[in-house]
């Protein structure tokens, strides 16, 4: 089942909540405001109320707590860093669970381990008498895709639950139902293996080329027209050309993403020699203080790392 991005959809009005208004959540909520059917409402909360100002000006309703969002929304999209952050949103008198009094779908767009969403679903169904159900809907496309409304949304869950969220995510890009609960996170794990490999390869190529006297920008422009071309190259090439590693998608988050990938691989007895190496690289560069910068910081990490040739 696929839903492709659009604007001002036909259909019944929706009440959608968004919890987490960072570099991804804020533009995603903005596309909901522009793309849901007439009469719909968007309800938001975040740790920093200032993050919501522009959305409120555009028509979103601010709520101080996750409980108040859950009380009025039939779908709640969560975009926070990791599974423990999702869990924290549920608990306490102001938590999301306290506000659930009618059938509600919790769409976890955070990138977490597949088992984490499976366990979360079992837990919240038991604690709400089946009123709250979970789908996993991690996204790919980065900040650029979130702003442009061109995200790829990888959805996992029971068909009836997924049917409740496809039109929601269609406002943000292309949403595809890939299988049972956890399938979205498995898909995102596969995505992150590929993205991490491409970023590391581009970093290596940039350092080798620059040290050999090549113009990195001209090289990457040329390579983008051949088999080396990719969306990652297109988005990151200017960063590598100018050594711009300012934060966007923080490199440290690759550690948890790749751990999720290798964990799922371990569960299915699948060898992952490349993912294992990538996890070590991003673990090492994070430990060395590079983790808060963009993933393109692999360039700086490589420049500072001595080459260790195999002994003759």
């Amino acid at each position: 089942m696929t839903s492709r991005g659009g604007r001002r959809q036909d259909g019944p009005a929706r009440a959608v909540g968004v919890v987490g208004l960072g570099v991804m959540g804020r533009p995603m909520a903005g596309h909901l405001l522009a793309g849901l059917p007439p009469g719909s409402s968007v309800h938001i909360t975040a740790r920093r109320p200032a993050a919501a100002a522009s959305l409120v000006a555009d028509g979103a309703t601010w709520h101080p707590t996750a409980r108040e969002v859950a009380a009025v929304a039939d779908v709640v999209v969560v975009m926070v860093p990791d599974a423990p952050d999702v869990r924290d949103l549920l608990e306490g008198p102001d938590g999301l669970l306290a506000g659930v009094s009618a059938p509600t779908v919790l769409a976890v767009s955070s990138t977490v381990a597949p088992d984490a969403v499976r366990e979360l679903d079992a837990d919240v169904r038991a604690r709400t008498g089946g009123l709250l159900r979970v789908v996993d809907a991690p996204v790919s496309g980065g900040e650029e895709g979130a702003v442009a409304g061109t995200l790829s949304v990888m959805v996992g869950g029971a068909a009836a639950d997924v049917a409740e969220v496809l039109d929601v995510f269609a406002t943000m890009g292309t949403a595809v139902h890939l299988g049972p609960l956890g399938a979205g996170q498995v898909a995102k794990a596969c995505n992150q293996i590929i993205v991490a490999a491409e970023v590391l390869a581009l970093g290596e190529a940039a350092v080798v080329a620059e040290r050999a006297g090549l113009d990195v920008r001209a090289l990457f422009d040329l390579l983008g027209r051949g088999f080396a071309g990719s969306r990652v190259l297109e988005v990151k090439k200017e960063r590598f050309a100018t050594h711009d590693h300012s934060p966007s998608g923080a490199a440290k988050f690759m550690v948890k993403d790749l751990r999720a990938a290798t964990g799922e691989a371990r569960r299915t007895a699948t060898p992952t020699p490349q993912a294992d190496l990538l996890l070590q690289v991003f673990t090492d560069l994070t430990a060395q203080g590079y983790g808060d910068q963009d993933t393109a910081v692999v360039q700086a990490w490589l420049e500072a790392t001595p080459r260790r040739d195999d002994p003759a």
Side-chain angles (χ1 to χ4, degrees):
M1 187 184 301
T2 303
S3 185
R4 192 170 289 276
R7 293 292 179 270
R8 195 51 65 188
Q9 302 176 23
D10 295 328
R14 305 298 306 274
V16 180
V18 179
V19 181
L21 301 175
V23 296
M24 299 294 290
R26 187 164 56 249
M28 289 166 66
H31 288 299
L32 283 171
L33 285 168
L36 289 174
S40 297
S41 55
V42 177
H43 304 268
I44 56 177
T45 193
R47 291 179 179 175
R48 296 185 304 107
S54 62
L55 294 169
V56 171
D58 288 338
T61 301
W62 167 260
H63 298 276
T65 67
R67 173 182 59 81
E68 294 170 78
V69 171
V72 294
D74 49 38
V75 171
V76 179
V77 178
V78 175
M79 180 54 88
V80 293
D82 201 356
D85 304 286
V86 177
R87 288 282 187 177
D88 287 347
L89 293 172
L90 300 176
E91 306 300 338
D94 289 327
L96 195 146
L97 286 176
V100 174
S101 60
T104 306
V105 176
L106 177 64
V108 180
S109 287
S110 312
T111 300
V112 303
D115 277 345
V117 290
R118 297 171 186 135
E119 294 165 4
L120 179 69
D121 181 63
D123 182 31
V124 300
R125 283 179 188 262
R127 294 171 67 182
T128 64
L131 288 178
L132 186 62
R133 299 101 67 202
V134 174
V135 300
D136 55 317
V139 302
S140 180
E143 182 180 0
E144 295 86 357
V147 171
T150 57
L151 292 172
S152 295
V153 188
M154 296 157 271
V155 188
D161 298 333
V162 169
E164 295 292 316
V165 305
L166 282 181
D167 63 329
V168 168
F169 287 109
T171 67
M172 309 169 191
T174 300
V176 179
H177 184 195
L178 293 169
L181 189 67
Q185 299 296 343
V186 174
K188 183 60 185 286
C190 294
N191 179 86
Q192 295 303 82
I193 292 172
I194 296 167
V195 171
E198 290 185 343
V199 168
L200 180 57
L202 290 170
E204 287 187 14
V207 175
V208 169
E210 189 169 68
R211 289 180 174 178
L214 280 68
D215 181 325
V216 171
R217 181 183 286 105
L219 172 66
F220 281 0
D221 283 342
L222 181 63
L223 296 183
R225 298 183 178 94
F227 276 179
S230 70
R231 179 62 178 156
V232 175
L233 173 57
E234 181 183 344
V235 170
K236 299 287 189 183
K237 64 182 180 182
E238 189 63 21
R239 285 184 174 272
F240 287 116
T242 62
H243 294 253
D244 174 13
H245 308 140
S246 56
S248 177
K252 64 184 178 184
F253 293 139
M254 273 295 183
V255 177
K256 73 174 179 66
D257 295 353
L258 292 165
R259 280 179 180 159
T262 55
E264 185 66 16
R266 193 174 299 111
R267 189 182 73 85
T268 57
T270 305
T272 51
Q274 180 167 254
D276 295 343
L277 173 61
L278 292 166
L279 175 57
Q280 188 62 59
V281 167
F282 281 93
T283 298
D284 288 351
L285 70 83
T286 298
Q288 293 173 33
Y290 295 96
D292 289 328
Q293 299 182 72
D294 185 83
T295 53
V297 79
V298 294
Q299 180 183 35
W301 176 77
L302 287 163
E303 289 172 331
T305 301
R307 180 179 176 86
R308 295 182 178 89
D309 283 312
D310 293 334

Short mmCIF file of all heavy atoms in Angstrom, two decimals, residues 1-36:
data_model
loop_
_atom_site.label_atom_id
_atom_site.label_comp_id
_atom_site.label_asym_id
_atom_site.label_seq_id
_atom_site.Cartn_x
_atom_site.Cartn_y
_atom_site.Cartn_z
N MET A 1 0.85 -1.19 0.00
CA MET A 1 0.00 0.00 0.00
C MET A 1 0.89 1.24 0.00
O MET A 1 1.76 1.38 0.84
CB MET A 1 -0.91 0.00 1.23
CG MET A 1 -1.96 1.10 1.26
SD MET A 1 -2.90 1.06 2.82
CE MET A 1 -3.60 -0.58 2.81
N THR A 2 0.66 2.12 -0.95
CA THR A 2 1.52 3.28 -1.13
C THR A 2 0.70 4.55 -1.12
O THR A 2 -0.42 4.58 -1.63
CB THR A 2 2.28 3.19 -2.46
OG1 THR A 2 3.02 1.99 -2.46
CG2 THR A 2 3.22 4.36 -2.63
N SER A 3 1.24 5.59 -0.54
CA SER A 3 0.61 6.91 -0.62
C SER A 3 1.67 7.90 -1.05
O SER A 3 2.76 7.93 -0.49
CB SER A 3 0.03 7.30 0.75
OG SER A 3 -0.67 8.51 0.67
N ARG A 4 1.38 8.67 -2.06
CA ARG A 4 2.37 9.58 -2.63
C ARG A 4 2.00 11.01 -2.28
O ARG A 4 0.85 11.41 -2.34
CB ARG A 4 2.44 9.39 -4.15
CG ARG A 4 3.64 10.08 -4.78
CD ARG A 4 3.80 9.65 -6.22
NE ARG A 4 4.24 8.27 -6.33
CZ ARG A 4 5.51 7.90 -6.25
NH1 ARG A 4 6.45 8.78 -6.07
NH2 ARG A 4 5.84 6.63 -6.37
N GLY A 5 3.02 11.81 -1.95
CA GLY A 5 2.83 13.14 -1.42
C GLY A 5 1.93 14.05 -2.23
O GLY A 5 1.90 14.00 -3.44
N GLY A 6 1.17 14.88 -1.56
CA GLY A 6 0.28 15.81 -2.23
C GLY A 6 -0.12 16.93 -1.30
O GLY A 6 0.33 17.02 -0.18
N ARG A 7 -1.01 17.78 -1.78
CA ARG A 7 -1.44 18.92 -1.00
C ARG A 7 -2.97 18.98 -0.97
O ARG A 7 -3.64 18.68 -1.95
CB ARG A 7 -0.90 20.22 -1.61
CG ARG A 7 0.62 20.35 -1.49
CD ARG A 7 1.03 20.52 -0.03
NE ARG A 7 2.47 20.61 0.10
CZ ARG A 7 3.26 19.55 0.28
NH1 ARG A 7 2.75 18.34 0.33
NH2 ARG A 7 4.56 19.71 0.40
N ARG A 8 -3.51 19.42 0.17
CA ARG A 8 -4.93 19.63 0.36
C ARG A 8 -5.75 18.45 -0.15
O ARG A 8 -6.45 18.50 -1.14
CB ARG A 8 -5.36 20.95 -0.32
CG ARG A 8 -6.72 21.44 0.12
CD ARG A 8 -6.89 21.51 1.62
NE ARG A 8 -6.01 22.50 2.20
CZ ARG A 8 -5.83 22.66 3.53
NH1 ARG A 8 -6.45 21.89 4.37
NH2 ARG A 8 -5.02 23.59 3.99
N GLN A 9 -5.59 17.31 0.52
CA GLN A 9 -6.22 16.08 0.10
C GLN A 9 -7.73 16.12 0.32
O GLN A 9 -8.24 16.81 1.17
CB GLN A 9 -5.64 14.91 0.90
CG GLN A 9 -4.14 14.75 0.76
CD GLN A 9 -3.62 13.65 1.65
OE1 GLN A 9 -4.37 12.76 2.03
NE2 GLN A 9 -2.36 13.70 1.99
N ASP A 10 -8.45 15.31 -0.48
CA ASP A 10 -9.86 15.06 -0.23
C ASP A 10 -9.96 14.05 0.90
O ASP A 10 -9.02 13.33 1.21
CB ASP A 10 -10.52 14.50 -1.49
CG ASP A 10 -10.52 15.51 -2.62
OD1 ASP A 10 -10.61 16.72 -2.33
OD2 ASP A 10 -10.42 15.09 -3.79
N GLY A 11 -11.14 13.96 1.50
CA GLY A 11 -11.34 12.98 2.55
C GLY A 11 -11.79 13.64 3.83
O GLY A 11 -11.90 14.88 3.92
N PRO A 12 -12.06 12.82 4.84
CA PRO A 12 -12.55 13.36 6.11
C PRO A 12 -11.48 14.17 6.83
O PRO A 12 -10.29 13.93 6.68
CB PRO A 12 -12.92 12.11 6.90
CG PRO A 12 -12.07 11.02 6.32
CD PRO A 12 -11.93 11.35 4.86
N ALA A 13 -11.94 15.12 7.62
CA ALA A 13 -11.01 15.93 8.42
C ALA A 13 -10.30 15.03 9.44
O ALA A 13 -10.86 14.04 9.93
CB ALA A 13 -11.76 17.04 9.13
N ARG A 14 -9.06 15.35 9.74
CA ARG A 14 -8.25 14.59 10.67
C ARG A 14 -7.79 15.48 11.81
O ARG A 14 -7.63 16.69 11.64
CB ARG A 14 -7.01 14.03 9.97
CG ARG A 14 -7.28 13.19 8.73
CD ARG A 14 -8.10 11.94 9.05
NE ARG A 14 -7.52 11.13 10.10
CZ ARG A 14 -6.59 10.19 9.89
NH1 ARG A 14 -6.13 9.97 8.67
NH2 ARG A 14 -6.11 9.49 10.90
N ALA A 15 -7.57 14.86 12.96
CA ALA A 15 -6.95 15.53 14.10
C ALA A 15 -5.64 14.81 14.37
O ALA A 15 -5.63 13.66 14.81
CB ALA A 15 -7.85 15.49 15.33
N VAL A 16 -4.53 15.47 14.06
CA VAL A 16 -3.21 14.83 14.11
C VAL A 16 -2.33 15.57 15.09
O VAL A 16 -2.24 16.81 15.07
CB VAL A 16 -2.56 14.82 12.72
CG1 VAL A 16 -1.18 14.15 12.77
CG2 VAL A 16 -3.46 14.11 11.71
N GLY A 17 -1.65 14.83 15.95
CA GLY A 17 -0.70 15.41 16.88
C GLY A 17 0.72 15.16 16.42
O GLY A 17 1.01 14.15 15.78
N VAL A 18 1.61 16.09 16.74
CA VAL A 18 3.04 15.92 16.50
C VAL A 18 3.77 16.25 17.79
O VAL A 18 3.60 17.35 18.34
CB VAL A 18 3.54 16.83 15.36
CG1 VAL A 18 5.05 16.62 15.15
CG2 VAL A 18 2.79 16.54 14.06
N VAL A 19 4.59 15.33 18.25
CA VAL A 19 5.39 15.54 19.45
C VAL A 19 6.86 15.50 19.04
O VAL A 19 7.34 14.48 18.53
CB VAL A 19 5.10 14.46 20.51
CG1 VAL A 19 5.94 14.72 21.76
CG2 VAL A 19 3.62 14.42 20.85
N GLY A 20 7.54 16.61 19.24
CA GLY A 20 8.93 16.74 18.84
C GLY A 20 9.04 17.64 17.63
O GLY A 20 8.63 17.27 16.53
N LEU A 21 9.58 18.84 17.83
CA LEU A 21 9.61 19.85 16.77
C LEU A 21 11.04 20.30 16.48
O LEU A 21 11.35 21.48 16.43
CB LEU A 21 8.74 21.06 17.16
CG LEU A 21 7.27 20.75 17.44
CD1 LEU A 21 6.55 21.99 17.93
CD2 LEU A 21 6.58 20.18 16.19
N GLY A 22 11.91 19.32 16.26
CA GLY A 22 13.28 19.61 15.89
C GLY A 22 13.41 19.86 14.41
O GLY A 22 12.46 20.24 13.73
N VAL A 23 14.60 19.62 13.86
CA VAL A 23 14.86 19.93 12.45
C VAL A 23 13.98 19.09 11.53
O VAL A 23 13.71 19.50 10.39
CB VAL A 23 16.35 19.75 12.09
CG1 VAL A 23 17.21 20.72 12.85
CG2 VAL A 23 16.80 18.30 12.33
N MET A 24 13.51 17.94 11.98
CA MET A 24 12.63 17.11 11.17
C MET A 24 11.17 17.34 11.54
O MET A 24 10.31 17.52 10.66
CB MET A 24 12.98 15.63 11.36
CG MET A 24 14.39 15.26 10.94
SD MET A 24 14.67 15.43 9.17
CE MET A 24 13.66 14.08 8.55
N GLY A 25 10.85 17.31 12.81
CA GLY A 25 9.46 17.39 13.25
C GLY A 25 8.77 18.68 12.88
O GLY A 25 7.57 18.67 12.53
N ARG A 26 9.49 19.79 12.96
CA ARG A 26 8.85 21.09 12.67
C ARG A 26 8.38 21.19 11.22
O ARG A 26 7.21 21.50 10.96
CB ARG A 26 9.78 22.24 13.04
CG ARG A 26 9.11 23.61 12.91
CD ARG A 26 9.89 24.70 13.63
NE ARG A 26 11.25 24.81 13.20
CZ ARG A 26 12.31 24.48 13.94
NH1 ARG A 26 12.15 24.02 15.17
NH2 ARG A 26 13.54 24.61 13.47
N PRO A 27 9.24 20.91 10.22
CA PRO A 27 8.73 20.97 8.84
C PRO A 27 7.69 19.90 8.54
O PRO A 27 6.78 20.11 7.75
CB PRO A 27 9.98 20.81 7.98
CG PRO A 27 11.03 20.26 8.87
CD PRO A 27 10.71 20.74 10.24
N MET A 28 7.79 18.73 9.17
CA MET A 28 6.77 17.70 8.97
C MET A 28 5.41 18.20 9.44
O MET A 28 4.39 18.01 8.76
CB MET A 28 7.18 16.42 9.71
CG MET A 28 8.36 15.69 9.06
SD MET A 28 9.10 14.40 10.12
CE MET A 28 7.77 13.20 10.22
N ALA A 29 5.38 18.86 10.59
CA ALA A 29 4.12 19.42 11.08
C ALA A 29 3.62 20.52 10.15
O ALA A 29 2.41 20.65 9.93
CB ALA A 29 4.32 19.97 12.49
N GLY A 30 4.54 21.27 9.57
CA GLY A 30 4.14 22.31 8.63
C GLY A 30 3.45 21.74 7.41
O GLY A 30 2.46 22.29 6.90
N HIS A 31 3.93 20.60 6.91
CA HIS A 31 3.29 19.97 5.75
C HIS A 31 1.92 19.40 6.11
O HIS A 31 1.01 19.37 5.26
CB HIS A 31 4.20 18.89 5.17
CG HIS A 31 5.40 19.45 4.47
ND1 HIS A 31 5.29 20.27 3.37
CD2 HIS A 31 6.73 19.33 4.73
CE1 HIS A 31 6.51 20.61 2.96
NE2 HIS A 31 7.38 20.07 3.77
N LEU A 32 1.76 18.96 7.35
CA LEU A 32 0.43 18.54 7.79
C LEU A 32 -0.55 19.70 7.71
O LEU A 32 -1.69 19.55 7.24
CB LEU A 32 0.49 18.01 9.22
CG LEU A 32 1.06 16.61 9.42
CD1 LEU A 32 1.25 16.34 10.90
CD2 LEU A 32 0.16 15.57 8.80
N LEU A 33 -0.14 20.86 8.17
CA LEU A 33 -1.01 22.04 8.13
C LEU A 33 -1.44 22.37 6.70
O LEU A 33 -2.58 22.74 6.45
CB LEU A 33 -0.30 23.25 8.75
CG LEU A 33 -0.17 23.27 10.27
CD1 LEU A 33 0.81 24.35 10.70
CD2 LEU A 33 -1.54 23.49 10.91
N ALA A 34 -0.51 22.21 5.76
CA ALA A 34 -0.80 22.56 4.38
C ALA A 34 -1.52 21.46 3.62
O ALA A 34 -2.23 21.74 2.65
CB ALA A 34 0.51 22.90 3.65
N GLY A 35 -1.36 20.20 4.05
CA GLY A 35 -1.77 19.09 3.21
C GLY A 35 -2.96 18.28 3.66
O GLY A 35 -3.51 17.52 2.86
N LEU A 36 -3.38 18.38 4.92
CA LEU A 36 -4.53 17.61 5.36
C LEU A 36 -5.83 18.20 4.81
O LEU A 36 -5.88 19.37 4.43
CB LEU A 36 -4.57 17.57 6.89
CG LEU A 36 -3.50 16.72 7.58
CD1 LEU A 36 -3.58 16.88 9.09
CD2 LEU A 36 -3.63 15.25 7.19
#
